[in-house]
Amino acid sequence: MHALSVRQLTKVYANGVRAIDGIDLEVPRGDFCALLGPNGAGKTSLIGIVTSLVRKTSGEVRVFGHDLDTEASAVKASIGVVPQEINLNLWDKVGNIVVNQAGFYGLPPARARQRAEVCLKQLQLWDKRDETARTLSGGMKRRLMIARALMHEPRLLILDEPTAGVDIEIRRSMWEFLRALNGAGTTIILTTHYLEEAENLCRNIAIIDRGRVIERGPMTEVLAKLNEEVFLLTPRQPVDVPPSLAGFEVRLNGPQELEVAMPRARSVNDLFAALSAAGIEILSLRNKANRLEELFLALTERKGEAAPPAGRARP
Amino acid sequence: MSLRQQAVALGTLSRKEYHRVVRIWGQTILPPVINMALYFVIFGNLIGSRIGRMDGFDYRQYIAPGLIMMAVITNAYGNVVSSFFSAKINRHLEEMLVAPMSNVTIVLGHMVGGMIRGVLVGLAVTLVALFFTPLPFAHPFITLSVFLMCAAIFSLGGLINGIVAKNFDDVSIIPSFVLQPLIYLGGVFYSISLLPELAQQVSRLNPILYLVNAFRFGMLGVSDVPIGFAWAMMLASLAVLFATCVLLLQRGYRIRE
């Protein structure tokens, strides 16, 4: 039984926009899965349908075997959701927000207060429990939404861009928290624009574009489909003309930077040998972008035909 | 979700609404009390002393039930419409929509929230009225039942308004242009027996006339309308409005895309 199973899901909005166009997707229990896609790809619509905030047009959604159409209550009880936009009652106290949320899931007040202490401490918000949500920083609000989603101990946690607008330090601490949560058995589905985040955290990945899943599978297998890697090299001496290196595509980004596209069949040793033969000494080397981003762009360019430029996901 | 868990969810939502009413008491409780005190001073004491008796009662006594109903109606309605619409527009309504609480529980919780404010304001206005005039409470059961049903009916009305509203204008249109005129023309300040026959017939189409007169019957023992009919109409309204709210939530009307 999968944590999430989606079959032939479609969503056509009243204005005629087909946000989801026959998606099939399965997320195993205990998985940490990334949903990637450009803006408007259908990720948020998909999450909206699974969490009952958006009505599907057709198709089937099952969560831990429960059918959304016939067992909506069981589906909802299994899911915790952290939406993309802040949807807190900003005038309410932090403690009240989480305790009330637990109550909406049927947890008695004493149990809700216990869970509030656990969740707020986990997310480092316990000392803010008597403050109103509007006084929290952006990062704290995001953490509060995670605490709120965990109050009823969901088996499936869905996070829609949970670290958007959060500084690096808090983002890293949230990653650690999510890893630990997943390690303890919670299935996690994550959408993110930070592709590094997906590559670091997730075991499986599904790339969505124009309402369809265009690639999915284990992260390592999907990344293996990349047939080249791009490096940025800093030469010791300034270079005026890009050198011709057999089997490598070289561009000059400036006198102090070479961009080299290396086929996966070749090794970095081959590259350095070719550079030495050309008389170029290299001071430093780095990846041009993270590998997932390259794959993502390659896939959405290849299969998305005229995908709008604004739809590109970049860190 | 079991019945017991639904009861917990209902208790949570009701408590949340109660805390909201009490937390902002300066906006929810105090203004209607001051308004009603002014009505008693101006219409009751100053103008009322020149009007004389109505249906055998001192004018201050006569208008007291109507003024209490007016406070209950506007506050029960206003509480739910503002609470629900602000939750919808600020998207924290999603806290309830993603939870397994049933639509019936969501409707009941908001209804209870509106009733809490309606009852608190109604009791406060009753105390103000007692400061100006004695009230005999001729039929306590009818008084209490009409009081509670009226709060429930207009809480549900406010909920429908909150669900349907797309913007802040939609929230204020019904209270200003429908509710307020119906209340003023609903026999709060006069007996419809004073009106010409045609105006009496038109007044009988106003549902608030029945609420005000049923409450007046409970408090003073006089009414312009048959009490049994008024009571049955309130029960029917309650059932229809409740079902409408549940149906709108089930369909996700202007709530779920």
Side-chain angles (χ1 to χ4, degrees):
Chain A
M1 187 197 304
H2 290 95
L4 175 66
S5 169
V6 170
R7 292 198 191 287
Q8 282 304 299
L9 190 67
T10 61
K11 173 64 188 177
V12 182
Y13 285 100
N15 60 6
V17 170
R18 183 173 282 269
I20 297 181
D21 190 12
I23 281 184
D24 288 311
L25 182 68
E26 282 170 346
V27 178
R29 264 173 197 254
D31 194 12
F32 203 140
C33 175
L35 284 183
L36 299 183
N39 291 333
K43 307 183 298 289
T44 300
S45 292
L46 173 61
I47 289 174
I49 290 171
V50 174
T51 56
S52 306
L53 292 174
V54 175
R55 286 173 293 175
K56 64 186 168 68
T57 303
S58 64
E60 183 190 80
V61 175
R62 284 184 178 273
V63 175
F64 294 104
H66 300 294
D67 189 335
L68 183 64
D69 290 333
T70 55
E71 301 166 279
S73 180
V75 168
K76 288 175 170 184
S78 307
I79 298 176
V81 60
V82 181
Q84 195 176 111
E85 289 176 33
I86 304 289
N87 70 343
L88 300 163
N89 181 354
L90 298 176
W91 299 95
D92 212 350
K93 288 181 180 173
V94 168
N96 290 346
I97 288 172
V98 288
V99 167
N100 286 339
Q101 187 68 14
F104 295 156
Y105 282 83
L107 267 71
R111 175 80 184 124
R113 284 192 293 274
Q114 278 175 1
R115 285 291 303 156
E117 185 172 350
V118 170
C119 293
L120 290 178
K121 280 181 174 169
Q122 279 178 329
L123 274 302
Q124 292 123 44
L125 288 168
W126 179 240
D127 58 335
K128 302 284 181 191
R129 63 190 179 280
D130 291 323
E131 293 182 23
T132 53
R134 74 196 160 96
T135 64
L136 302 182
S137 67
M140 285 179 185
K141 285 176 188 147
R142 294 233 164 251
R143 279 186 278 149
L144 175 56
M145 293 203 298
I146 296 177
R148 184 182 62 180
L150 293 173
M151 283 296 289
H152 62 290
E153 300 179 84
R155 290 190 286 164
L156 171 62
L157 180 65
I158 300 176
L159 303 116
D160 196 0
E161 306 273 357
T163 56
V166 169
D167 68 40
I168 293 170
E169 195 182 342
I170 293 173
R171 195 184 308 161
R172 301 265 171 187
S173 75
M174 280 165 79
W175 288 3
E176 286 311 310
F177 176 75
L178 293 175
R179 268 196 205 101
L181 195 67
N182 179 242
T186 306
T187 308
I188 299 180
I189 298 174
L190 174 92
T191 79
T192 179
H193 269 76
Y194 299 108
L195 301 174
E196 179 199 3
E197 186 165 89
E199 195 172 350
N200 267 302
L201 289 174
C202 302
R203 280 189 290 281
N204 287 300
I205 182 175
I207 298 180
I208 299 177
D209 192 25
R210 300 181 168 203
R212 289 173 174 272
V213 175
I214 57 171
E215 192 66 66
R216 65 177 163 169
M219 185 72 75
T220 47
E221 284 179 24
V222 172
L223 285 173
K225 292 181 182 174
L226 254 185
N227 52 19
E228 68 176 27
E229 209 162 352
V230 179
F231 294 105
L232 296 174
L233 312 173
T234 309
R236 181 175 287 280
Q237 300 297 330
V239 177
D240 299 327
V241 182
S244 173
L245 306 177
F248 299 95
E249 192 183 317
V250 184
R251 284 200 324 186
L252 192 62
N253 292 340
Q256 295 288 355
E257 187 171 273
L258 292 171
E259 183 177 318
V260 180
M262 186 183 82
R264 287 188 74 86
R266 309 292 297 272
S267 73
V268 181
N269 285 350
D270 295 340
L271 172 60
F272 277 102
L275 285 163
S276 293
I280 298 172
E281 191 181 348
I282 297 301
L283 282 177
S284 68
L285 166 149
R286 62 192 165 92
N287 260 25
K288 184 185 178 189
N290 112 349
R291 294 176 302 156
L292 189 54
E293 181 180 346
E294 289 171 29
L295 174 68
F296 178 82
L297 290 173
L299 284 170
T300 50
E301 273 169 9
R302 190 178 72 233
K303 297 183 181 176
E305 285 120 42
R312 295 286 156 73
R314 285 181 184 279
Chain B
M1 204 165 161
S2 68
L3 212 58
R4 187 185 164 84
Q5 287 172 313
Q6 292 290 350
V8 170
L10 174 60
T12 304
L13 182 51
S14 306
R15 226 176 2 259
K16 180 174 180 255
E17 289 296 307
Y18 166 76
H19 285 139
R20 179 181 167 276
V21 170
V22 173
R23 189 179 71 230
I24 52 171
W25 65 273
Q27 296 170 46
T28 53
I29 311 282
L30 195 59
V33 172
I34 292 172
N35 270 351
M36 292 306 148
L38 289 171
Y39 274 116
F40 277 111
V41 170
I42 296 166
F43 288 99
N45 278 15
L46 301 179
I47 299 173
S49 58
R50 290 165 184 260
I51 292 174
R53 298 179 78 77
M54 191 160 300
D55 273 0
F57 288 90
D58 174 82
Y59 190 63
R60 283 170 300 189
Q61 258 181 337
Y62 186 82
I63 63 171
L67 289 177
I68 295 166
M69 277 291 97
M70 184 155 93
V72 172
I73 290 169
T74 51
N75 283 281
Y77 191 96
N79 191 72
V80 182
V81 71
S82 66
S83 166
F84 192 89
F85 184 71
S86 68
K88 184 166 94 169
I89 213 83
N90 295 317
R91 299 189 53 186
H92 54 89
L93 181 66
E94 290 174 7
E95 290 175 348
M96 279 173 254
L97 300 180
V98 299
M101 61 198 295
S102 70
N103 292 319
V104 169
T105 305
I106 295 176
V107 173
L108 275 175
H110 282 93
M111 188 184 89
V112 170
M115 287 177 74
I116 288 170
R117 176 159 158 197
V119 167
L120 286 177
V121 171
L123 289 175
V125 172
T126 304
L127 288 176
V128 171
L130 286 169
F131 180 77
F132 287 94
T133 182
L135 294 168
F137 293 97
H139 304 284
F141 171 73
I142 290 182
T143 307
L144 187 65
S145 62
V146 172
F147 187 65
L148 294 176
M149 272 201 285
C150 181
I153 287 168
F154 284 92
S155 297
L156 294 171
L159 182 55
I160 292 173
N161 194 167
I163 294 170
V164 170
K166 286 193 278 191
N167 51 48
F168 287 99
D169 288 343
D170 293 346
V171 170
S172 60
I173 281 172
I174 300 288
S176 305
F177 297 106
V178 179
L179 220 47
Q180 208 74 350
L182 287 178
I183 291 171
Y184 280 108
L185 297 171
V188 171
F189 296 103
Y190 56 86
S191 163
I192 59 164
S193 61
L194 299 176
L195 301 175
E197 184 55 32
L198 181 63
Q200 281 190 34
Q201 294 304 325
V202 174
S203 292
R204 286 180 200 283
L205 298 175
N206 178 357
I208 289 180
L209 178 81
Y210 297 86
L211 302 180
V212 168
N213 274 281
F215 193 62
R216 184 173 285 136
F217 180 80
M219 281 199 146
L220 306 180
V222 294
S223 169
D224 289 339
V225 299
I227 296 308
F229 178 77
W231 219 82
M233 195 198 73
M234 277 185 263
L235 266 184
S237 305
L238 205 53
V240 169
L241 290 170
F242 192 89
T244 307
C245 289
V246 173
L247 195 69
L248 287 172
L249 287 184
Q250 256 163 10
R251 291 192 173 179
Y253 187 73
R254 290 188 180 161
I255 292 171
R256 298 177 206 264
E257 289 176 280

